[in-house]
Amino acid sequence: MPRIDTASARSLLAANPDVLAVDVRTPAEYDSAHIDGAINLPLDQVDAHLRRIVTDAGGTMVLICQSGNRAERARQALAEAGLTDLAVLDGGMNSWIASGAPVIRGRPRWALERQVRLVAGTIVLTSVVASLWAPGAAIVAGLVGGGLAVAALTDTCAMGMLLAKLPYNRAGGFDVEAAITALRRDPSRA
């Protein structure tokens, strides 16, 4: 079950308390709004702690991000490392919230995708305006456009990965050890 819609995810999570909701967004995005009981394990931490996650996790995991793209990347990495009972919330938190499903709300923060659009758009606009006085500045706009095209083709985003490392996106007191411990199925392994 690689993708799961919101209604099916809600039913699965409600019917089986052993199913884990794992939110791979940044701590700031998670703090802004998340599914009750979801474990925050940002995508960069999934990559950094892949072996431990595979060793400690068991059972079904529903992976969540803002739109579904980062959760799919986490699913692919975890599946390649040996976990098989994984699903991605189709449409991510955007879909969950749009369906009226309950969320825990905190301090509002911009989603990473929105931050990427702001930074990329600002760089392009500034480069185009600057090219009126310095024609070479248009090259920067071209590079950003090329970067966005590569991001779309590879389903990765270097700018997003860089923005995720900013203090704004790290706010929320994320604890990787607590997140990995929460993935454990057998309390005797803790």
Side-chain angles (χ1 to χ4, degrees):
M1 83 176 132
R3 293 246 174 210
I4 188 170
D5 63 40
T6 299
S8 300
R10 286 182 74 180
S11 296
L12 181 64
L13 291 167
N16 189 343
D18 290 332
V19 174
L20 295 175
V22 180
D23 193 322
V24 299
R25 296 176 301 152
T26 66
E29 289 174 297
Y30 175 85
D31 284 346
S32 180
H34 62 272
I35 296 170
D36 189 21
I39 299 165
N40 184 217
L41 187 61
L43 181 59
D44 64 334
Q45 296 300 314
V46 170
D47 293 337
H49 299 281
L50 191 57
R51 287 285 143 225
R52 289 182 61 206
I53 295 166
V54 170
T55 300
D56 290 347
T60 303
M61 275 192 251
V62 176
L63 302 169
I64 304 151
C65 67
Q66 195 65 34
S67 65
N69 293 334
R70 285 177 279 172
E72 178 58 29
R73 287 186 35 222
R75 188 200 63 76
Q76 288 173 353
L78 292 167
E80 288 171 9
L83 289 179
T84 56
D85 205 1
L86 303 165
V88 171
L89 178 61
D90 199 21
M93 285 300 291
N94 292 338
S95 175
W96 184 272
I97 292 169
S99 76
V103 294
I104 305 297
R105 294 210 181 259
R107 181 175 169 211
R109 301 266 186 160
W110 280 19
L112 199 56
E113 288 93 350
R114 186 175 181 191
Q115 294 175 49
V116 168
R117 291 191 303 266
L118 173 69
V119 171
T122 301
I123 292 171
V124 169
L125 178 62
T126 303
S127 314
V128 169
V129 170
S131 72
L132 297 172
W133 296 277
I139 293 171
V140 175
L143 291 173
V144 171
L148 291 172
V150 168
L153 292 171
T154 62
D155 200 22
T156 62
C157 183
M159 186 180 293
M161 289 185 275
L162 289 172
L163 289 171
K165 295 182 185 309
L166 292 176
Y168 173 84
N169 289 312
R170 293 287 181 194
F174 175 73
D175 180 356
V176 71
E177 294 303 321
I180 292 173
T181 299
L183 295 175
R184 292 189 177 131
R185 292 289 180 213
D186 180 356
S188 67
R189 291 170 41 188

